[in-house]
Amino acid sequence: MKLKTLGAPLALAVLAGCTTAAPDGGFSSVAASARERIGAEPRLARDDAAAGELARQVEATLAQPLGMDDAVKVAVLANPGLQASYWKVGIARADLAQAGRLPNPVLAYKHLSNAGDLAIERTFTMNLVQLLTLPLASRLEARRFEQVKLEVAREIEQHARDTRLAWVDAVAAGQAQDYARQVDAAAEASAELAGRMAKTGNMSQLDLSREQLYHLETQAALARAGKQAVAAREKLTRLLGLWGKDAQYSLPGHLPELPASPAQLRDIERIAIEQRLDVQAAKLDAQATAANLGLTKTTRFVNVLDLGYVNETTTGAPSARGYELTLELPLFDWGGARVARAEGVYMQAVQRVAQAAVTARSEARESYLDYRSAYDLAAHYRDRIIPLRKRISKEVLLRYNGMLMSTQELLADSREQAGAVSGYIEALKEFWTAHAQLEAALGVRLGAQHGRHQDQERKEHKEHAE
C-alpha cells in the first residue's frame, strides 16, 4: 500500500500521531486559572516527594490561626477528593494523545497444507476510515480535553466556595459559643445574687424564679452553641481534608469586621456570563456536539472500510500479490437515525447553554441583592443598634449605682444587651456568607472586581473633569 494514495489525511495523521502527553498532564493551566479566580493555587501530588512538599506547606499554614484565604489554600492542597479530580486532566490529556495515534495495522498469516501442496497467505490490513477521520477525531478529543479542564476548574471553584462558607460558619459558631459562655457566666452570677437578695427579703420569689429560669436557659443555649460549633468545625475539617494532628488547627476568635463600604458592581449579569465556568462549559459542550454531528454525517454510510495488502504463496506457483478491500454495505442501516440522534443531542446542548445563561443572570442578581442587604443589616447593627445598646447599658449602670434603678432592671438590661450582641454576630455571619456566595455567582474574586470598578470610576471622573 503506497502512502501517496492516502494523500494529505495520512500526512496529518502522522503528525497527529506524534502528539505526546504534557509532563504535567495539562494541569498547570488549570492551576493558573484557579489562582486568579480563588486566590490559591492547587498543586498536584504526582509522587511521594511532591506529596511531602504539599504536606509541609499545609503544616506551615496551620501553624497560625487559619484565616479564610488560608483555609482555601489548605483545601486545594490537602483535600483528597480534589486531588482525585486533578487527575481527570491528565487522563483527558492522555486520551487526547491516544486519539492522535495512527491505528495499529492488522497482520494476518494463513498457512494451508494439502497433499504436499503448501499455501501461505499474508495479509496486512489497516482501517482506512479511522485513518481518514483521525484529524477530526483528534479535534473532538481536544475539545473534550478543554471541557475536562473547565469541569475540574469548576470543581475547584465550588470547593473553594464551600470552604469559605464552612469557615464562616465555624468561626461564627465559635464566636457565638464564646459569647454564650460569657452570658451563661453572667446569668449564673445574677442567679446567685438574686438568691442572696431573696434570703434577705430584697427580692420576691417570683423575680428569683425568673433569674433562675434565665440561668437554666443560658445553660441550654450554651450546650446548643457547643453542639453547633463542633458540627461546623468538623464540616470545615472535611473540606480541608485534614485528620490526625492537623485537625487540631486553630481558628480566629471572631469574624472579620465589615469592610468600609460594600462593593459597587455594574453589569453583574455580564460579569457572570463572561466569567462563570458553568456557562463556558455549556458553550464548549455545544461546540463539541456540533463537531461530533459533522463526524456522524461523514461516516453515516461508510462505517467499516478496511484496506489491506495481500501476499499469497502457493507451492509450485508464483507468488500472488494484491489488495483486499472490505466495505460494509448500507443495505439496512443508512445512518439516518444516528444523524437524527446527533442533531437532537446538539439541540439539547444549545438549550442547556441558554438555561445556563438564564441561571447565571438570575443568581448574579439574587446574590448581589442579598450581599447588599446583608451589608446594610450588619452595618445597622454595628453603627446604630450596638452603640445605642452600649449607651443604654451605661446609663442603666449609672442609675443603678445612684440607687435610682432596681437590681431587676439592671439584670433585664443585661439580657437585652446579650440579645443585641448575638444579633450582630448573626448579621456579620450572614454578610460574609453572602460575600462568598456572590463571588461564586459571579465567578470572580470580589475584592479584585471591586478594585477594578473603583479604578474605572476614577478614570471616568478624570475624563469628565478634563
Side-chain angles (χ1 to χ4, degrees):
M1 182 173 58
K2 297 181 179 180
L3 290 177
K4 66 179 182 180
T5 61
L6 297 177
L10 181 58
L12 292 174
V14 170
L15 293 176
C18 298
T19 304
T20 58
D24 64 349
F27 184 70
S28 58
S29 62
V30 177
S33 174
R35 180 178 64 248
E36 180 179 354
R37 300 177 73 90
I38 67 174
E41 183 174 1
R43 290 184 57 188
L44 184 63
R46 299 186 60 86
D47 48 36
D48 291 342
E53 174 62 24
L54 296 185
R56 286 189 289 273
Q57 290 188 22
V58 170
E59 185 177 359
T61 304
L62 297 178
Q64 302 294 330
L66 196 65
M68 185 187 297
D69 291 338
D70 291 334
V72 174
K73 176 182 177 181
V74 171
V76 298
L77 294 179
N79 186 274
L82 272 185
Q83 285 289 333
S85 296
Y86 299 164
W87 285 101
K88 293 180 183 178
V89 180
I91 294 172
R93 187 64 180 85
D95 290 341
L96 173 59
Q98 183 62 40
R101 298 289 191 269
L102 289 170
N104 287 327
V106 178
L107 178 62
Y109 177 82
K110 185 185 294 185
H111 186 108
L112 299 176
S113 176
N114 183 18
D117 293 334
L118 178 64
I120 298 176
E121 180 178 322
R122 309 171 189 87
T123 305
F124 183 84
T125 308
M126 179 172 287
N127 189 319
L128 190 57
V129 169
Q130 186 177 355
L131 187 63
L132 294 175
T133 59
L134 186 63
L136 181 56
S138 296
R139 289 196 295 271
L140 291 176
E141 201 63 41
R143 290 189 181 94
R144 180 180 173 274
F145 175 56
E146 294 300 323
Q147 282 182 288
V148 171
K149 290 201 295 184
L150 278 177
E151 290 172 2
V152 173
R154 182 64 175 165
E155 289 185 38
I156 295 172
E157 192 175 47
Q158 289 177 340
H159 195 91
R161 178 205 61 189
D162 293 342
T163 301
R164 293 181 190 278
L165 293 176
W167 183 90
V168 171
D169 287 343
V171 175
Q175 185 175 357
Q177 183 186 24
D178 290 341
Y179 189 68
R181 191 177 292 112
Q182 297 176 23
V183 172
D184 179 64
E188 182 180 8
S190 299
E192 183 179 351
L193 174 62
R196 291 199 298 266
M197 293 179 65
K199 288 181 180 179
T200 59
N202 293 324
M203 180 175 287
S204 67
Q205 291 298 316
L206 176 59
D207 290 334
L208 173 62
S209 298
R210 286 173 176 170
E211 292 301 323
Q212 291 175 337
L213 177 60
Y214 177 66
H215 180 216
L216 294 175
E217 290 175 345
T218 61
Q219 288 179 325
L222 177 59
R224 190 178 299 111
K227 178 181 177 181
Q228 293 174 350
V230 170
R233 182 184 175 90
E234 287 302 325
K235 181 179 179 180
L236 176 60
T237 301
R238 289 193 297 272
L239 290 169
L240 296 176
L242 301 178
W243 62 284
K245 64 179 182 64
D246 289 337
Q248 305 303 316
Y249 59 89
S250 61
L251 291 171
H254 55 81
L255 290 169
E257 293 298 329
L258 284 177
S261 63
Q264 302 286 343
L265 301 179
R266 298 176 181 174
D267 299 330
I268 55 174
E269 294 184 24
R270 178 187 56 80
I271 295 173
I273 294 298
E274 292 178 353
Q275 299 295 329
R276 280 181 55 144
L277 294 178
D278 56 342
V279 176
Q280 297 179 26
K283 291 179 180 178
L284 195 60
D285 180 63
Q287 294 172 2
T289 304
N292 187 40
L293 176 61
L295 177 61
T296 302
K297 288 184 176 180
T298 301
T299 60
R300 65 180 296 185
F301 295 121
V302 183
N303 294 320
V304 178
L305 179 60
D306 292 333
L307 179 65
Y309 170 78
V310 180
N311 184 313
E312 183 175 349
T313 304
T314 305
T315 302
S319 298
R321 295 179 178 84
Y323 65 88
E324 178 183 11
L325 183 65
T326 304
L327 175 64
E328 179 182 303
L329 298 178
L331 297 180
F332 306 106
D333 184 3
W334 288 76
R338 288 194 299 275
V339 173
R341 183 183 186 280
E343 290 174 345
V345 172
Y346 172 69
M347 292 308 300
Q348 277 187 329
V350 170
Q351 295 302 321
R352 290 193 182 102
V353 174
Q355 181 59 45
V358 170
T359 302
R361 292 175 185 273
S362 175
E363 290 181 350
R365 295 192 302 269
E366 179 186 7
S367 299
Y368 184 61
L369 290 175
D370 183 51
Y371 165 82
R372 291 302 304 267
S373 298
Y375 182 89
D376 292 342
L377 177 61
H380 181 70
Y381 266 96
R382 179 195 63 186
D383 300 334
R384 305 192 66 178
I385 294 180
I386 296 300
L388 185 57
R389 185 69 259 170
K390 290 181 178 179
R391 190 184 315 154
I392 292 174
S393 298
K394 182 178 180 181
E395 292 295 331
V396 168
L397 184 60
L398 288 174
R399 282 164 174 74
Y400 176 77
N401 291 334
M403 304 181 71
L404 299 176
M405 297 189 71
S406 65
T407 303
Q408 290 87 339
E409 290 176 306
L410 177 64
L411 297 177
D413 178 75
S414 176
R415 289 193 288 270
E416 292 174 359
Q417 183 178 5
V421 174
S422 298
Y424 177 56
I425 294 174
E426 185 64 24
L428 203 57
K429 171 187 172 182
E430 291 176 1
F431 167 75
W432 287 111
T433 297
H435 184 279
Q437 294 283 22
L438 179 58
E439 286 186 336
L442 298 180
V444 296
R445 292 297 306 279
L446 198 55
Q449 190 67 25
H450 189 196
R452 286 194 292 269
H453 173 71
Q454 290 178 332
D455 292 341
Q456 181 66 22
E457 281 189 334
R458 285 192 290 267
K459 181 179 178 181
E460 293 176 356
H461 180 73
K462 181 179 179 181
E463 291 176 351
H464 178 71
E466 291 175 351

